[in-house]
Amino acid sequence: MLLLLLALLMFGGAAFLVGEIATYPARQKERSLKRAADYGHLKIRTTDLERLRFRERVLAPAASRFASIPLKLSPRTTVESVQSRLIAAGLSQRVSSQAFLAIKGGALVGGATVGFLLPAFLGSVAGAIFLIPALGLMGFFGCDSFLTMRIRSRREAVRAELPDALDLLAVSVEAGLGFDGAIAKLTDHMDGALVDEFAITMGEIRIGESRQIALKKMAERVPAPELAAFVRAVIQAEQLGISLGRILRVQAADSRLRRQSAAEEKAMKAPIKMLFPTVLFIFPAMFLVVLGPAVINILNILK
């Protein structure tokens, strides 16, 4: 009985294998025709379609309305100026100017809403008069403050990374590489804000932009004096036919001296900055500890 069952299983497996082998060319042809017929057609699932409809019907109109609020409140603010600030902060690839304006308007509306609801929840309706404009303006100008801090930190990062990057460029140029090859070598071996800017510059050069215009755009994106001096020196070296390696060495030494002088300037400003928290927080506690017992003794004597 077991032998008969085993024989049937083997016969069925052999028949299935023969059928698969015989029909494989036809199935392959049918699969190729179906793939060719579906080529160029985008398949959207129902969930993706619903999400797309929700984004187009709700999120996009709401974002455009929120984005119009900062433009109306501040006529000097334009989409181009916001885009230039986002580029200087290194956020242009993540956040568009329209999205930033929408976030700014949403922060204003959200802060005003919180300022209206919080006093009502606490039972103090009169506090809403002060909290609504205060929290609204805090949310409105908080976005600009955050963007300004990002621009400043990115500029300081570029200034700190410039001497080492110029040394690597000088070594690469003196080894026989061209300026474009030296920048490509720099982007391969270093990371940071300055390397990202050089990568953007190389991308502009590769799509047909001249080297001088691409370098000038990089200097405009990052308003750092050291980077502007480097760009001017490279452009003048190309125009006058001066050795680029020597120029890069001089610029690296100059940027390193500027970085050292900036660090010394910050160190000299530190005692002045520490004076205000010392007077406000440390001196009162010190006076309380030192003069407290004497005041208590004087009061006891007077009693």
Coordinates of all heavy atoms in Angstrom, one line a residue, residues 105-140:
G105 N 3.3 81.1 9.5 CA 1.9 81.5 9.7 C 1.2 80.6 10.6 O 0.4 81.0 11.5
G106 N 1.5 79.3 10.5 CA 0.9 78.3 11.5 C 1.3 78.5 12.9 O 0.6 78.4 13.8
A107 N 2.6 78.9 13.1 CA 3.1 79.2 14.4 C 2.4 80.4 15.0 O 2.1 80.5 16.2 CB 4.6 79.4 14.4
L108 N 2.2 81.4 14.2 CA 1.4 82.6 14.6 C 0.0 82.3 15.0 O -0.4 82.6 16.1 CB 1.4 83.7 13.5 CG 0.5 84.9 13.8 CD1 1.1 85.7 14.9 CD2 0.5 85.8 12.5
V109 N -0.7 81.5 14.2 CA -2.1 81.1 14.5 C -2.1 80.2 15.7 O -2.9 80.3 16.6 CB -2.7 80.5 13.3 CG1 -4.1 80.0 13.7 CG2 -2.8 81.5 12.2
G110 N -1.1 79.2 15.8 CA -1.1 78.3 16.9 C -0.8 79.0 18.2 O -1.4 78.7 19.3
G111 N 0.2 79.9 18.2 CA 0.5 80.7 19.4 C -0.7 81.5 19.9 O -1.0 81.6 21.1
A112 N -1.4 82.2 19.0 CA -2.6 83.0 19.4 C -3.7 82.1 19.9 O -4.4 82.5 20.9 CB -3.1 83.8 18.2
T113 N -3.8 80.9 19.3 CA -4.9 80.0 19.8 C -4.5 79.5 21.2 O -5.4 79.4 22.1 CB -5.0 78.8 18.9 OG1 -5.2 79.3 17.5 CG2 -6.1 77.9 19.3
V114 N -3.3 79.2 21.5 CA -2.9 78.8 22.8 C -3.1 79.9 23.8 O -3.5 79.7 24.9 CB -1.4 78.3 22.8 CG1 -0.9 78.0 24.2 CG2 -1.3 77.0 22.0
G115 N -2.7 81.1 23.4 CA -2.9 82.3 24.3 C -4.4 82.6 24.5 O -4.7 83.2 25.6
F116 N -5.3 82.1 23.7 CA -6.7 82.3 23.9 C -7.3 81.2 24.8 O -8.1 81.4 25.7 CB -7.5 82.3 22.6 CG -9.0 82.4 22.7 CD1 -9.6 83.6 23.1 CD2 -9.7 81.3 22.5 CE1 -11.0 83.6 23.2 CE2 -11.1 81.3 22.6 CZ -11.7 82.5 23.0
L117 N -6.8 80.0 24.6 CA -7.4 78.8 25.3 C -6.8 78.7 26.7 O -7.5 78.3 27.6 CB -7.1 77.5 24.5 CG -7.8 77.4 23.2 CD1 -7.5 76.1 22.5 CD2 -9.4 77.5 23.3
L118 N -5.5 79.0 26.9 CA -4.9 78.8 28.2 C -5.6 79.7 29.3 O -5.9 79.1 30.4 CB -3.4 79.1 28.1 CG -2.6 78.8 29.3 CD1 -2.7 77.3 29.7 CD2 -1.1 79.2 29.1
P119 N -5.8 81.0 29.1 CA -6.5 81.7 30.2 C -7.9 81.2 30.4 O -8.4 81.2 31.6 CB -6.5 83.2 29.7 CG -5.4 83.2 28.7 CD -5.4 81.9 28.1
A120 N -8.6 80.8 29.4 CA -10.0 80.3 29.6 C -9.9 79.0 30.3 O -10.8 78.8 31.2 CB -10.6 80.1 28.2
F121 N -8.9 78.2 30.1 CA -8.8 76.9 30.9 C -8.5 77.2 32.3 O -9.0 76.5 33.2 CB -7.8 76.0 30.2 CG -7.5 74.7 30.9 CD1 -8.5 73.7 30.8 CD2 -6.4 74.5 31.7 CE1 -8.3 72.5 31.5 CE2 -6.2 73.3 32.4 CZ -7.1 72.3 32.2
L122 N -7.7 78.2 32.6 CA -7.3 78.5 34.0 C -8.3 79.4 34.7 O -8.1 79.7 35.9 CB -5.9 79.2 34.0 CG -4.7 78.4 33.5 CD1 -3.4 79.2 33.4 CD2 -4.6 77.1 34.3
G123 N -9.3 79.9 34.0 CA -10.3 80.8 34.6 C -9.9 82.2 34.6 O -10.6 83.0 35.3
S124 N -8.9 82.7 33.9 CA -8.5 84.1 33.9 C -8.6 84.6 32.5 O -7.7 84.5 31.7 CB -7.1 84.2 34.4 OG -6.7 85.6 34.3
V125 N -9.8 85.1 32.2 CA -10.1 85.6 30.8 C -9.3 86.8 30.5 O -8.9 87.1 29.4 CB -11.6 85.8 30.6 CG1 -11.9 86.2 29.2 CG2 -12.4 84.6 31.0
A126 N -9.0 87.7 31.5 CA -8.3 88.9 31.3 C -6.8 88.6 30.8 O -6.3 89.5 30.1 CB -8.2 89.7 32.6
G127 N -6.3 87.5 31.2 CA -4.9 87.2 30.7 C -4.8 86.9 29.2 O -3.7 87.0 28.7
A128 N -6.0 86.6 28.6 CA -5.9 86.4 27.1 C -5.6 87.6 26.4 O -5.0 87.6 25.3 CB -7.3 85.9 26.7
I129 N -5.8 88.8 26.9 CA -5.5 90.1 26.3 C -4.0 90.2 26.1 O -3.5 90.8 25.0 CB -6.0 91.3 27.1 CG1 -7.6 91.1 27.2 CG2 -5.7 92.6 26.4 CD1 -8.2 92.2 28.1
F130 N -3.2 89.7 27.0 CA -1.8 89.8 26.9 C -1.2 88.5 26.3 O -0.2 88.6 25.6 CB -1.2 90.0 28.3 CG -1.7 91.2 29.0 CD1 -2.7 91.1 29.9 CD2 -1.2 92.5 28.7 CE1 -3.2 92.2 30.6 CE2 -1.7 93.6 29.4 CZ -2.7 93.5 30.3
L131 N -1.8 87.4 26.5 CA -1.2 86.1 26.0 C -1.4 85.9 24.5 O -0.5 85.4 23.8 CB -1.7 84.9 26.8 CG -1.2 84.8 28.2 CD1 -1.8 83.6 28.9 CD2 0.3 84.6 28.3
I132 N -2.5 86.4 24.0 CA -2.8 86.1 22.6 C -1.7 86.8 21.7 O -1.1 86.2 20.8 CB -4.2 86.6 22.2 CG1 -5.2 85.6 22.8 CG2 -4.4 86.6 20.7 CD1 -6.7 86.0 22.6
P133 N -1.5 88.1 21.9 CA -0.4 88.7 21.0 C 1.0 88.3 21.4 O 1.8 88.1 20.5 CB -0.6 90.2 21.2 CG -1.3 90.3 22.6 CD -2.2 89.1 22.7
A134 N 1.2 88.0 22.7 CA 2.6 87.6 23.1 C 2.9 86.3 22.5 O 4.0 86.1 21.9 CB 2.7 87.6 24.6
L135 N 2.1 85.3 22.7 CA 2.4 83.9 22.1 C 2.4 83.9 20.6 O 3.1 83.2 20.0 CB 1.4 82.9 22.7 CG 1.5 82.7 24.2 CD1 0.5 81.6 24.7 CD2 3.0 82.3 24.6
G136 N 1.4 84.7 20.0 CA 1.4 84.7 18.6 C 2.7 85.3 18.0 O 3.2 84.8 17.0
L137 N 3.1 86.5 18.5 CA 4.4 87.1 18.1 C 5.6 86.2 18.4 O 6.6 86.1 17.6 CB 4.6 88.4 18.7 CG 3.5 89.5 18.2 CD1 3.8 90.8 19.0 CD2 3.7 89.7 16.7
M138 N 5.5 85.5 19.5 CA 6.6 84.5 19.8 C 6.7 83.4 18.8 O 7.8 83.1 18.3 CB 6.4 83.9 21.2 CG 7.6 83.1 21.7 SD 7.2 82.4 23.3 CE 7.0 83.9 24.3
G139 N 5.6 82.9 18.4 CA 5.7 81.9 17.3 C 6.0 82.4 16.0 O 6.8 81.8 15.2
F140 N 5.6 83.7 15.7 CA 5.9 84.3 14.4 C 7.4 84.6 14.3 O 8.0 84.2 13.3 CB 5.1 85.6 14.3 CG 5.2 86.2 12.9 CD1 4.5 85.8 11.8 CD2 6.0 87.3 12.8 CE1 4.6 86.4 10.6 CE2 6.1 88.0 11.5 CZ 5.4 87.5 10.5

